């Protein structure tokens, strides 16, 4: 398995070495390898790494309904699993999928004041459940938005050196043409990057196998996973409308004008009746808005 280098790797090292670090919340959409990157960092940089995934380990959720003090939380976790060791100064606590247990965020102030344990939280669609949190630990946490792979990370995955990438950047800054060989090679890389969708699991399979076989099925599954998130988390909203808009966006972008228009999704549709669906998809980090600047 190719261990993809991500920009968050360097950020996490800097965070660990900060003497005044606060608990960290890593967020963005699913399938960008938040969990993989944090787990790799924790195991490589701490003598003791403890991971709790609230989507799978739901027995821990009740702890944060009752206690927010560090000693009480540690004691309750130890009761669930006596094999876990909490070593002050050498332990990273990783709370994953915290959108399933939003009260975790309320405990972060206590962890910051206690200082004995480093804490990283991660989750997708967290904004949806944040309204349920008693306190959002303002000034007691750092938020980091880990996005899908960018082109530089893709070039790292293909084993290009930083000097080669910097040379490419310099040509762009100087508006200087690349050599024919470099242009052809990097153009092909960019085409691969666009076809692969920038998702780490897909890129990893492509880099490992050196072909596109199986890629399409993985991409289709990611689309279905996002639809499942809409069905699960769009509470009290018209999920049918959100799914309809989500499915129609690629159809519109395939047209010549590359423009999505809500009013053309259904006949007699008013913009204000559906604009909230776009807001929901943006806040869930499922879509991005492209803002065009028209110059006269």
């Amino acid at each position: 398995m190719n261990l993809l280098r991500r920009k968050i790797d360097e950020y996490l090292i800097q965070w660990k070495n900060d003497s005044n670090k606060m608990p960290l919340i890593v967020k963005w959409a699913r399938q960008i390898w938040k969990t993989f990157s944090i787990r790799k960092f924790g195991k490589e940089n701490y003598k003791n790494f403890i991971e709790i995934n609230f989507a799978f380990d739901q027995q821990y959720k009740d702890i944060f309904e009752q206690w927010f003090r560090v000693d009480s939380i540690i004691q309750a976790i130890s009761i669930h699993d006596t094999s876990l060791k909490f070593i002050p100064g050498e332990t990273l606590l990783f709370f994953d999928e915290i959108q399933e247990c939003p009260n975790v965020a309320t405990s972060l102030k206590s962890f910051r004041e206690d200082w004995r344990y480093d804490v990283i939280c991660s989750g997708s669609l967290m904004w949806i459940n944040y309204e349920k949190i008693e306190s959002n630990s303002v000034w007691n946490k750092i938020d980091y938005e880990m996005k899908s792979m960018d082109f530089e990370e893709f070039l790292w995955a293909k084993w290009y050196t930083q000097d080669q990438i910097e040379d490419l950047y310099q040509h762009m800054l100087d508006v200087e043409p690349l050599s024919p060989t470099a242009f052809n090679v990097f153009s092909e890389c960019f085409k691969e990057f666009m076809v692969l969708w920038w998702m780490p699991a897909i890129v990893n399979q492509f880099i490992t196998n050196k072909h596109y076989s199986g890629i399409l099925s993985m991409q289709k599954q990611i689309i279905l996973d996002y639809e499942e998130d809409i069905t699960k988390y769009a509470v009290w909203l018209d999920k049918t409308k959100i799914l309809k808009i989500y499915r129609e966006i690629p159809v519109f972008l395939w047209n010549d004008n590359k423009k999505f228009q809500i009013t053309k999704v259904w006949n007699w549709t008013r913009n204000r009746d559906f604009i909230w669906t776009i807001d929901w998809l943006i806040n869930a980090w499922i879509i991005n808005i492209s803002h065009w600047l028209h110059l006269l």
Side-chain angles (χ1 to χ4, degrees):
M1 183 180 186
N2 182 37
L3 298 180
L4 299 180
R5 176 186 172 191
R6 303 297 308 278
K7 291 182 176 176
I8 193 176
D9 298 341
E10 182 178 350
Y11 177 85
L12 291 174
I13 295 295
Q14 294 174 350
W15 171 81
K16 181 181 187 298
N17 294 332
D18 186 351
S19 59
N20 295 312
K21 64 177 169 291
M22 294 184 284
L24 176 66
I25 296 182
V26 179
K27 56 188 180 180
W28 203 253
R30 63 154 71 223
Q31 302 291 348
I32 61 169
W33 279 22
K34 297 185 298 296
T35 298
F36 178 88
S37 296
I38 297 168
R39 184 184 295 146
K40 177 176 176 289
F41 161 75
K43 291 182 177 180
E44 291 179 352
N45 293 277
Y46 289 83
K47 292 183 179 180
N48 195 40
F49 174 69
I50 296 173
E51 177 180 346
I52 295 176
N53 185 310
F54 291 104
F56 303 131
D57 308 316
Q58 298 194 19
Q59 68 271 23
Y60 293 100
K61 293 170 67 173
D62 289 345
I63 295 173
F64 297 90
E65 296 289 341
Q66 304 175 57
W67 298 292
F68 297 121
R69 293 295 179 185
V70 173
D71 286 334
S72 299
I73 292 171
I74 298 304
Q75 183 179 16
I77 292 175
S78 299
I79 291 174
H80 281 290
D81 188 344
T82 57
S83 69
L84 298 179
K85 306 300 180 183
F86 296 85
I87 306 172
E90 299 179 351
T91 299
L92 174 64
L93 289 170
F94 175 31
F95 297 124
D96 200 8
E97 303 291 355
I98 68 166
Q99 75 276 2
E100 301 290 342
C101 185
N103 279 339
V104 168
T106 312
S107 70
L108 298 184
K109 180 179 180 180
S110 294
F111 276 106
R112 186 197 177 189
E113 293 173 346
D114 185 89
W115 293 109
R116 286 177 293 169
Y117 311 105
D118 290 351
V119 177
I120 297 180
C121 302
S122 178
S124 306
L125 294 98
M126 292 193 299
W127 69 276
I128 295 170
N129 279 338
Y130 258 39
E131 63 185 20
K132 302 177 183 178
I133 300 174
E134 296 177 19
S135 169
N136 211 8
S137 295
V138 178
W139 306 115
N140 291 286
K141 64 178 178 60
I142 301 173
D143 292 311
Y144 181 89
E145 294 183 347
M146 179 184 176
K147 301 184 180 181
S148 52
M149 293 186 71
D150 61 28
F151 187 52
E152 183 176 21
E153 291 174 319
F154 181 70
L155 292 178
W156 290 342
K158 290 181 69 70
W159 302 106
Y160 284 97
T161 66
Q162 195 60 44
D163 287 342
Q164 291 171 319
I165 296 172
E166 291 298 333
D167 183 65
L168 173 62
Y169 281 150
Q170 194 60 51
H171 277 77
M172 296 170 65
L173 289 172
D174 296 340
V175 196
E176 179 183 337
L178 294 168
S179 68
T181 298
F183 178 80
N184 291 334
V185 170
F186 284 119
S187 293
E188 187 62 30
C189 286
F190 189 71
K191 290 175 184 177
E192 293 173 348
F193 175 65
M194 296 299 291
V195 169
L196 293 172
W197 276 13
W198 332 310
M199 292 299 188
I202 296 174
V203 171
N204 186 71
Q205 176 159 315
F206 175 77
I207 297 296
T208 301
N209 298 335
K210 298 180 175 59
H211 57 69
Y212 290 98
S213 179
I215 297 299
L216 183 59
S217 61
M218 294 179 68
Q219 293 173 329
K220 288 181 178 179
Q221 185 58 52
I222 289 177
I223 293 174
L224 293 175
D225 289 341
Y226 276 79
E227 290 191 2
E228 182 180 329
D229 281 345
I230 294 172
T231 302
K232 181 177 181 180
Y233 291 107
V235 183
W236 311 116
L237 299 174
D238 190 334
K239 300 174 185 178
T240 303
K241 288 184 178 180
I242 299 177
L243 284 170
K244 176 69 173 176
I245 296 298
Y246 171 70
R247 291 166 180 166
E248 289 292 330
I249 288 175
V251 178
F252 277 81
L253 296 183
W254 182 256
N255 294 333
D256 291 338
N257 63 2
K258 310 296 182 184
K259 183 178 181 181
F260 176 74
Q261 295 176 278
I262 296 179
T263 54
K264 292 186 178 181
V265 175
W266 276 299
N267 292 330
W268 312 107
T269 299
R270 295 177 299 180
N271 189 71
R272 68 171 181 265
D273 293 332
F274 283 84
I275 192 64
W276 62 269
T277 63
I278 298 296
D279 291 337
W280 192 96
L281 290 168
I282 293 172
N283 289 329
W285 304 310
I286 292 176
I287 66 171
N288 292 316
I289 295 294
S290 176
H291 298 281
W292 289 86
L293 177 62
H294 296 280
L295 300 177
L296 297 179

